[in-house]
Amino acid sequence: MTTSKKSASPEQASLEEAYPSTVEGLVLEERLGYALRRAQLKVFRHFDDAMREHDIRPAQFSSLVVIEGYPGVTQSSLAQTLSIDPPRVVNLINSLEERGLALRVRCKRDRRSHGIFLTKTGEALVERLKGLAEQSDLEATQSLSEIERRQLLTLLRKVYASEEHGD
């Protein structure tokens, strides 16, 4: 574990020290949450760049992929699958419907529920987006070998899967 840097008196502190450019030597360097957040920021920057022309955000992309994989998924199931608050899912689906990418269809068995389906436009777009997302991931993790990238993904899945299984 690293130790924190010695604190200087205000008189001793230089302007450079007041504006750090790294956390080297600080306890943050050893914190998983900090490292995950920094990695997430980098990955999301690449993702945002890749999706800019389609005006797609990460939650929209994830929703489109789940709807594609599970046609007729309900809003509550989508919320649970993606760990999104149900009210946010309503807004998310509303925006996808407004853009002509998805539609709600009343379920025959339970008239209170709606299944969510991709439109033809949504189906075509999600195929394009999946390729862009893959390329974005590769660019964001270009400092990793393919084996390291797969190991990182496996370890991250293990971390969040433990929550899903109640560990």
Side-chain angles (χ1 to χ4, degrees):
M1 182 165 192
T2 60
T3 59
S4 63
K5 296 183 179 212
K6 292 183 180 181
S7 58
S9 70
E11 298 83 32
Q12 294 171 325
S14 72
L15 190 55
E16 259 182 50
E17 291 172 318
Y19 299 100
S21 60
T22 179
V23 297
E24 187 176 335
L26 301 178
V27 71
L28 288 176
E29 207 174 33
E30 303 297 323
R31 300 288 62 94
L32 181 60
Y34 181 79
L36 284 170
R37 180 65 175 145
R38 292 294 302 262
Q40 179 196 26
L41 289 170
K42 181 177 182 179
V43 169
F44 275 24
R45 266 193 311 273
H46 281 268
F47 182 88
D48 285 343
D49 289 345
M51 301 294 168
R52 184 168 289 126
E53 77 174 271
H54 300 288
D55 193 27
I56 293 290
R57 307 293 301 151
Q60 292 171 318
F61 172 73
S62 298
S63 296
L64 288 168
V65 170
V66 171
I67 296 165
E68 177 196 42
Y70 299 98
V73 64
T74 63
Q75 288 177 180
S76 60
S77 291
L78 183 63
Q80 186 175 10
T81 300
L82 296 176
S83 298
I84 298 175
D85 291 332
R88 281 200 58 223
V89 168
V90 171
N91 292 335
L92 188 61
I93 299 307
N94 286 345
S95 74
L96 295 176
E97 276 191 314
E98 288 167 10
R99 294 180 61 182
L101 302 176
L103 59 107
R104 292 178 181 100
V105 176
R106 191 174 304 275
C107 294
K108 291 179 182 174
R109 288 186 308 249
D110 181 357
R111 305 288 291 163
R112 296 167 296 164
S113 293
H114 291 83
I116 307 164
F117 297 85
L118 294 180
T119 62
K120 294 292 182 196
T121 302
E123 289 174 355
L125 181 61
V126 79
E127 282 307 312
R128 172 93 174 106
L129 297 178
K130 287 190 297 186
L132 291 172
E134 180 180 10
Q135 187 60 39
S136 169
D137 276 1
L138 292 172
E139 289 172 8
T141 59
Q142 65 185 348
S143 63
L144 301 177
S145 69
E146 182 58 24
I147 290 172
E148 290 171 326
R149 198 178 84 67
R150 289 189 184 280
Q151 286 173 330
L152 176 60
L153 197 52
T154 298
L155 293 171
L156 290 172
R157 283 186 195 128
K158 191 173 183 179
V159 168
Y160 72 76
S162 67
E163 181 180 286
E164 291 171 354
H165 296 109
D167 295 346

